[in-house]
């Protein structure tokens, strides 16, 4: 393994982190235990397998290479010379509440001096289940890459091999003089395209901050505390709605979030009238079944969630129309694609401006709603099958709630992460998600 400088977006995630705002992803997998010692055996397996996964041996180190000014202040991903998997896998005391324990563990930042990931095995007090909480720093992996790393320490799966990356022909140090005009023309065209895209995204971001009506419950100042909750719904119910009103499964899942927020805000007394929070919907630019390259390959869509609309089918129609507009424009333009601007910032700018970027997140969006696909085949650890998987997203400064969604074997899992002090009633929101699905089904049958 060799050292590689972090890509700009990875570097941005690395530098915007603070003790109160850790920038790691999480996933809580719940397993059916085949024996009372299944949790302890799972911890031993995770530690043994992690030692053989190259991606889990990588640490992130600040570097100050000599050379062009834009290289100053970077960071590199490199093998950790003293990697010990036992430092990263912890067997914790039995618990009766996996989500409560996951919330406490999610608020702890990862140690930056060693490979930035952890796995916590949580035996269930009932003796018939255990859970594993995986944490991966966002500078190490996006959702799909994190899934690849986690899958590498689970039981082997019969999955298609990743598609090989095309091998570029070797290039000489000096371009062929016969092609030099074409090379210059192509470089100039690419540069102008990048500048135009950056200006377009910047203008869209500025417009998206105008006329904002969100809720204090979503944009309260973060305290560094964390609470998690999970909701499981039947994918067949989602398809029932989709077949009646059209659109995609993702449209329905996002509309469920909008309706649940409306119900939750009204029940807690905040009120939903006029509320239309800006939701960031991340879009992966990673090719399917391709684990490489490492780090993040993300863009996104930005849309207003129709929380204020009292009609569930009209809310879904609004979400569907907004997502269609985003898809027509593509993931490289619009305010949701602001992550792509990281490529235009020099390394020193990320180092010095990281904290400011973290604080500016509240100006860009109010809530994150992300989806992480899971393989349809059964996941196991030590022969113990996975029964539920709850993904968790990080919280930026000034945002008190994030929603992540995964579909696994006919069931949809919503993973909710919130600031524990700003959102002490996260379980109420979780119930509202389940209730909103029933509301949509009833509306479709009326």
């Amino acid at each position: 393994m060799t050292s590689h400088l972090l890509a700009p977006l990875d570097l941005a995630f690395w530098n915007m982190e603070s003790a109160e705002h850790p920038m790691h992803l999480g996933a809580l997998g719940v397993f059916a235990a085949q024996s009372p010692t299944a949790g302890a055996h799972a911890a031993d397996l995770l530690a043994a397998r992690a030692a053989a996964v190259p991606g889990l041996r990588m640490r992130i180190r600040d570097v100050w290479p000599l050379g062009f000014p834009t290289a100053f202040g970077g960071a590199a991903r490199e093998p950790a010379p003293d990697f010990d998997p036992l430092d990263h896998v912890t067997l914790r005391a039995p618990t009766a509440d996996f989500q409560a324990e996951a919330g406490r563990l999610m608020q702890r930042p990862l140690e930056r001096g060693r490979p930035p990931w952890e796995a916590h095995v949580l035996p269930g007090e009932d003796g018939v289940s255990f859970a594993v909480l995986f944490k991966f720093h966002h500078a190490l992996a996006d959702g799909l890459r994190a899934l690849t790393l986690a899958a590498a320490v689970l039981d082997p799966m019969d999955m298609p091999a990743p598609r090989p990356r095309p091998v570029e022909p070797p290039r000489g140090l000096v371009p062929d003089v016969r092609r030099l005009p074409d090379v210059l023309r192509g470089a100039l065209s690419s540069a102008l395209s990048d500048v135009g895209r950056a200006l377009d995204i910047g203008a869209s971001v500025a417009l998206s901050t105008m006329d904002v009506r969100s809720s204090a419950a979503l944009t309260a100042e973060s305290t560094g505390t964390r609470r998690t909750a999970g909701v499981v719904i039947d994918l067949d119910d989602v398809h029932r709605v989709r077949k009646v009103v059209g659109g995609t499964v993702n449209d329905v899942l996002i509309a469920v979030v909008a309706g649940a927020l409306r119900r939750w805000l009204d029940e807690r007394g905040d009120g939903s009238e006029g509320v239309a929070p800006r939701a960031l919907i991340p879009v992966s630019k990673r090719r399917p079944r391709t684990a490489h390259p490492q780090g993040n390959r993300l863009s996104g869509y930005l849309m207003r969630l129709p929380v204020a609309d009292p009609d569930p089918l009209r809310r879904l129609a609004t979400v569907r129309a907004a997502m269609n507009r985003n898809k027509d424009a593509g993931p490289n333009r619009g305010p949701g694609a602001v992550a792509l601007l990281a490529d235009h910032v020099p390394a020193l700018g990320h180092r010095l401006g990281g904290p400011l970027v973290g604080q500016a997140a509240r100006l860009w969006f109010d809530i994150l709603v992300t989806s992480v696909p899971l393989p349809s085949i059964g996941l196991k650890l030590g022969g113990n099958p996975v029964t539920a998987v709850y993904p968790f997203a990080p919280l930026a400064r000034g945002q008190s709630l994030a929603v992540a969604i995964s579909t696994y074997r006919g069931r949809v899992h919503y993973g909710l992460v919130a600031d524990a002090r700003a959102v002490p009633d996260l379980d109420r929101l979780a119930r509202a998600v389940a209730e909103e699905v029933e509301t949509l089904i009833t509306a479709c049958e009326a």
Side-chain angles (χ1 to χ4, degrees):
M1 293 184 291
T2 58
S3 176
H4 299 278
L5 289 176
L6 292 189
L9 185 54
D10 302 340
L11 189 58
F13 284 128
W14 187 246
N15 285 305
M16 72 172 60
E17 181 177 61
S18 67
E20 296 77 22
H21 305 91
M23 294 303 298
H24 52 252
L25 313 168
L28 181 68
V30 181
F31 297 78
Q34 296 182 335
S35 73
T37 60
H41 180 53
D44 292 339
L45 282 176
L46 291 174
R49 293 171 178 175
V53 181
L56 297 179
R57 301 173 62 91
M58 304 297 285
R59 69 175 181 178
I60 296 175
R61 181 175 63 88
D62 293 334
V63 293
W64 298 85
L66 297 176
F68 294 104
T70 55
F72 291 162
R77 188 183 293 107
E78 64 179 17
D82 55 350
F83 174 73
D84 185 349
L86 295 178
D87 292 336
H88 299 264
V89 179
T90 304
L91 176 64
R92 309 197 72 84
T95 178
D97 190 338
F98 294 141
Q99 292 288 354
E101 186 67 16
R104 287 188 287 269
L105 293 170
M106 282 294 291
Q107 71 187 34
R108 298 188 343 187
L110 293 165
E111 188 172 327
R112 291 170 73 92
R114 63 188 190 185
W117 68 274
E118 292 176 351
H120 298 272
V121 180
L122 315 174
E125 285 185 352
D126 55 13
V128 299
S129 64
F130 69 90
V132 179
L133 175 68
F134 289 101
K135 293 167 57 178
F136 297 98
H137 199 286
H138 220 327
L140 179 69
D142 56 20
L144 287 178
R145 175 65 178 167
L147 172 62
T148 301
L149 293 173
V153 293
L154 298 178
D155 292 355
M157 297 181 293
D158 184 17
M159 294 183 66
R163 294 175 181 173
R165 284 178 291 173
V167 178
E168 296 183 1
R171 298 179 180 178
L173 294 178
V174 179
D176 187 337
V177 294
R178 292 169 299 179
R179 296 187 61 252
L180 191 56
D182 292 337
V183 172
L184 292 176
R185 189 179 302 111
L188 179 60
S189 175
S190 177
L192 290 175
S193 176
D194 286 347
V195 170
R197 183 178 66 179
L199 292 174
D200 177 79
I201 294 172
S204 299
V205 171
L207 290 174
S208 72
T209 64
M210 300 174 63
D211 189 29
V212 173
R213 172 71 172 93
S214 185
S215 168
L218 302 179
T219 57
E221 183 59 42
S222 302
T223 64
T225 59
R226 292 292 180 270
R227 184 184 303 273
T228 69
V231 189
V232 180
I233 62 176
D234 196 320
L235 183 58
D236 286 343
D237 289 339
V238 177
H239 281 301
R240 288 169 61 188
V241 174
R242 180 190 59 81
K243 289 176 181 178
V244 172
V245 301
T248 67
V249 166
N250 202 42
D251 294 341
V252 178
L253 299 179
I254 295 172
V256 166
V257 174
L261 288 174
R262 174 184 174 81
R263 187 185 304 267
W264 175 63
L265 290 173
D266 287 342
E267 287 180 355
R268 75 199 314 253
D270 289 352
S272 60
E273 183 178 356
V275 174
R278 298 160 300 168
L280 176 63
I281 316 294
V283 177
S284 176
K285 296 174 70 82
R286 192 182 299 277
R287 292 181 179 179
R289 300 200 307 272
T290 302
H292 301 284
Q294 298 181 2
N296 290 267
R297 294 296 180 270
L298 293 172
S299 182
Y301 299 144
L302 196 71
M303 62 175 295
R304 294 290 183 90
L305 293 180
V307 172
D309 195 326
D311 186 296
L313 296 184
R314 205 161 53 218
R315 286 196 296 267
L316 177 50
T318 300
V319 167
R320 180 183 175 188
M323 288 299 290
N324 286 341
R325 288 194 299 270
N326 278 317
K327 292 171 186 175
D328 288 342
N332 295 326
R333 292 190 177 276
V338 73
L340 301 179
L341 296 181
D343 294 338
H344 301 274
V345 179
L348 183 60
H350 284 297
R351 176 180 290 273
L352 299 179
L356 295 177
V357 172
Q359 294 180 28
R362 70 172 72 192
L363 301 178
W364 173 28
F365 65 98
D366 304 308
I367 183 173
L368 180 74
V369 182
T370 184
S371 180
V372 181
L374 295 177
S376 58
I377 60 178
L379 301 173
K380 295 182 179 180
L381 178 56
N384 304 285
V386 169
T387 60
V389 183
Y390 303 100
F392 300 132
L395 287 180
R397 183 184 298 272
Q399 290 166 351
S400 52
L401 177 66
V403 180
I405 309 168
S406 284
T407 300
Y408 176 66
R409 309 204 80 183
R411 304 170 81 195
V412 178
H413 298 79
Y414 282 83
L416 311 179
V417 177
D419 185 280
R421 296 182 187 173
V423 187
D425 56 345
L426 188 62
D427 289 343
R428 181 185 296 179
L429 176 59
R431 290 195 301 271
V433 169
E435 292 166 356
E436 180 62 18
V437 176
E438 295 300 324
T439 298
L440 277 169
I441 292 174
T442 301
C444 289
E445 294 176 345

